[in-house]
Amino acid sequence: MPQRPEDLGFSSERLARIDRHLEAHYVGPGKIAGCQALVARRGEVVHHTLLGSRDLERARPMTEDTIFRIYSMTKPIASLALMMLFEEGRFALADPVHRFLPAFRDLGVFVQGRYPSFATRPPERAMTVHDLLTHQSGLTYGFMQRTNVDAAYRRCGIDEHKEGDTLAGLIDTLGDLPLEFSPGTAWNYSVSTDVVGRLVEVISGTPLDRFLRERIFAPLGMRDTGFAVPSAERERFAACYTRGPGKKLVLEDDPEGSRWCGEVTFFSGGGGLVSTAHDYLRFCEM
């Protein structure tokens, strides 16, 4: 860390406002258990805040090496992996997805109905790789709670990654469900990046976890990033909380029994990674 944030164009006083704001409005009132805020420029960390606890039940404080579930911040990493293959000339962004994933060849667009009986129409064009990368694929998430299509995702457990589930199995399930809209005609946050992860596997011939480890994490020195927390590092793994009745924190995922601490078979490119603040900084600076 430089002697003064001012050396890299920052104001020490203004950076300190981050700490005061997070403590006064989030950690202090108990809206969140704890947090980190890291600010860097040109590879130099100019501010790193550690507030509160990573595990309230065990009174473990927040530390620099705390391991977090990074959820959708997995998406930039999986997307980068696919674009590395693009740079190698392995596919074109305009390629139809069904070129690599045949289960997507006959996708229909929702017209009416409920799971498992839907009326569909043919899409205006095939879904492309570009559609997946820009969330214009017509796919969705079950937690959207808006349409009969995302209700079908919930019925099929699309958002639930159980032991033994795989990306290949996800593709087969999605191939039997309708799209929300014709690819390229609208935007919708979705499981598109999980499909991106499967494309990485199919195009490279390598499981997604291994591809990320060998091509991104190892070269960047991201030692604490992966789809599972090693047993020797579980004490560093943060508990995950949600807000329950009365806006009180409720333990949602205990690090001692978390699925991230077991054997992982579903490598979610959309939200499956764990990492640390310093590891993710290495990725952001690549």
Side-chain angles (χ1 to χ4, degrees):
M1 182 179 293
Q3 292 184 344
R4 300 184 313 138
E6 282 74 12
D7 295 341
L8 286 173
F10 289 90
S11 164
S12 298
E13 191 278 327
R14 291 186 178 185
L15 288 171
R17 294 179 192 174
I18 297 173
D19 303 14
R20 295 196 295 269
H21 179 81
L22 291 173
E23 179 62 42
H25 297 284
Y26 293 93
V27 179
K31 291 182 179 180
I32 59 176
C35 64
Q36 291 193 45
L38 190 154
V39 180
R41 175 173 287 171
R42 295 194 290 273
E44 296 283 353
V45 176
V46 297
H47 188 79
H48 193 182
T49 299
L50 303 172
L51 296 174
S53 172
R54 70 168 180 263
D55 188 331
L56 293 172
E57 284 67 31
R58 298 169 183 86
R60 292 172 178 167
M62 186 65 65
T63 56
E64 285 196 22
D65 63 353
T66 294
I67 298 172
F68 298 94
R69 304 154 194 78
I70 63 171
Y71 291 116
S72 282
M73 293 312 295
T74 303
K75 289 180 171 68
I77 296 177
S79 299
L80 172 71
L82 186 62
M83 292 306 292
M84 292 170 74
L85 295 171
F86 171 77
E87 288 185 334
E88 295 172 3
R90 307 285 285 275
F91 68 92
L93 293 175
D95 281 345
V97 176
H98 67 246
R99 174 187 170 192
F100 308 101
L101 306 177
F104 277 25
R105 183 175 297 278
D106 298 317
L107 291 173
V109 178
F110 175 81
V111 175
Q112 63 182 13
R114 296 176 182 273
Y115 180 84
S117 300
F118 290 107
T120 63
R121 60 178 173 82
E124 295 174 18
R125 62 164 174 77
M127 182 194 303
T128 67
V129 177
H130 181 268
D131 292 329
L132 290 174
L133 289 165
T134 56
H135 287 276
Q136 298 180 86
S137 63
L139 299 170
T140 188
Y141 269 125
F143 61 72
M144 292 297 191
Q145 303 278 347
R146 293 182 311 186
T147 70
N148 288 356
V149 177
D150 60 50
Y153 276 46
R154 295 192 295 276
R155 286 285 299 275
C156 294
I158 294 295
D159 299 347
E160 302 170 7
H161 308 143
K162 302 181 294 298
E163 184 177 350
D165 286 353
T166 63
L167 283 174
L170 171 72
I171 300 307
D172 290 338
T173 302
L174 291 174
D176 291 331
L177 297 175
L179 299 172
E180 291 274 18
F181 50 82
S182 190
T185 63
W187 185 92
N188 188 50
Y189 194 55
S190 72
V191 296
S192 288
T193 318
D194 284 315
V195 180
V196 163
R198 180 56 180 161
L199 284 179
V200 171
E201 293 188 330
V202 171
I203 295 171
S204 70
T206 307
L208 183 61
D209 64 329
R210 179 179 155 197
F211 186 95
L212 298 183
R213 184 173 62 250
E214 294 179 353
R215 298 287 301 272
I216 298 176
F217 303 153
L220 292 178
M222 297 171 66
R223 295 182 294 273
D224 291 319
T225 304
F227 287 101
V229 180
S231 57
E233 308 300 336
R234 288 180 187 174
E235 186 175 322
R236 296 163 50 203
F237 192 30
C240 185
Y241 299 92
T242 187
R243 297 182 75 187
K247 298 183 179 180
K248 300 295 185 181
L249 289 181
V250 176
L251 182 63
E252 184 177 71
D253 187 45
D254 191 322
E256 295 297 328
S258 173
R259 66 179 176 85
W260 274 272
C261 293
E263 182 179 354
V264 177
T265 58
F266 187 90
F267 306 122
S268 172
L273 289 172
V274 298
S275 189
T276 63
H278 283 290
D279 261 21
Y280 209 80
L281 175 62
R282 291 185 178 94
F283 171 73
C284 292
E285 291 178 339
M286 69 177 298

